[in-house]
Amino acid sequence: MGRRLPLLPLRTHRLDHRGASLRPPPPGAVLAWDRGWHREARTAWRYGAALAAVLLTADQARGGLDWMRGCCWVAIGAALVAVLRPDRVTAGDGWLAVRGLLRERRVRTDLLTQLRRADGVAPRLVLRDAGGGRVELDPRVLVANPLLWHQLDAGTRRSRERGLLREGAVPLAALARRIDDEGARALLEG
């Protein structure tokens, strides 16, 4: 008897030379995300768990650990996780989202009306769109993730072409220079 060939799925769309689909992604699809978020979130959990473990161990060694004090020490560890956990930044065609601890905020990058830099202890980039959406994010996330920067840059160009983005040329140019400098430095060092 001959060998039976496995059935292959029908291809309903074309593929490029690497086997990736040439079909455009569906609307609303995530095209870019913060690649360092998982590592930073795991680190926040480790620090929170380590603090809770140290507090529980010290209280147990002292002989005063009961369930109420144990819950307090675990709550302090959880509070540290909440403080250290970074926001998750994702972007797609015409939108950028920042997911915090409790909720997600989203702006349409192709409808931006304002882009400003809020300086302070931790500098933030504040984006506002025509629909009233507002997002704050750390500019270092854009520097570390060129695909996120590309999605934001493409959206701000469309917004500027439509005449919506009137405030934000200076911080955007400074951020673009910083990203270009970091990219050139990484290329020369690598």
Side-chain angles (χ1 to χ4, degrees), residues 1 15 23 44-45 51 57 61 72 91 94 98 103 123-124 126 130 145 147 162 167 178:
M1 291 265 160
L15 302 176
R23 181 184 298 170
W45 278 101
L51 177 64
T57 304
C72 288
V98 176
R103 67 180 185 174
R124 308 295 283 171
V126 181
N145 297 285
L147 292 176
R162 293 175 179 163
E167 183 182 339
R178 181 176 170 194

Side-chain angles (χ1 to χ4, degrees), residues 185-190:
R185 187 174 298 117
L187 237 149
L188 291 174
E189 289 175 356

Side-chain angles (χ1 to χ4, degrees), residues 154-169:
T156 55
R157 286 175 197 261
R158 281 182 283 194
S159 183
R160 204 175 301 147
E161 288 169 1
R162 293 175 179 163
L164 294 172
L165 185 62
R166 299 181 196 275
E167 183 182 339

Side-chain angles (χ1 to χ4, degrees), residues 120-143:
V121 175
R124 308 295 283 171
L125 200 61
V126 181
L127 309 170
R128 291 181 191 265
D129 67 5
R134 181 178 181 274
V135 163
E136 287 187 29
L137 69 138
D138 189 351
R140 292 179 296 184
V141 171
L142 297 173
V143 172

Side-chain angles (χ1 to χ4, degrees), residues 4 19 25 37 50 66 77 99 128 155 157:
R4 192 172 219 193
W37 182 84
D66 60 355
R99 175 122 182 108
R128 291 181 191 265
R157 286 175 197 261

Side-chain angles (χ1 to χ4, degrees), residues 28-32 90-97 106 109 148 151-152 155 158:
V30 175
L31 300 176
T90 55
D93 188 28
W95 60 270
L96 186 127
R106 187 180 286 239
T109 56
L148 274 174
Q151 292 298 324
L152 177 62
R158 281 182 283 194

Side-chain angles (χ1 to χ4, degrees), residues 2-10:
R3 285 181 49 186
R4 192 172 219 193
L5 295 175
L7 293 175
L8 298 175
L10 294 175

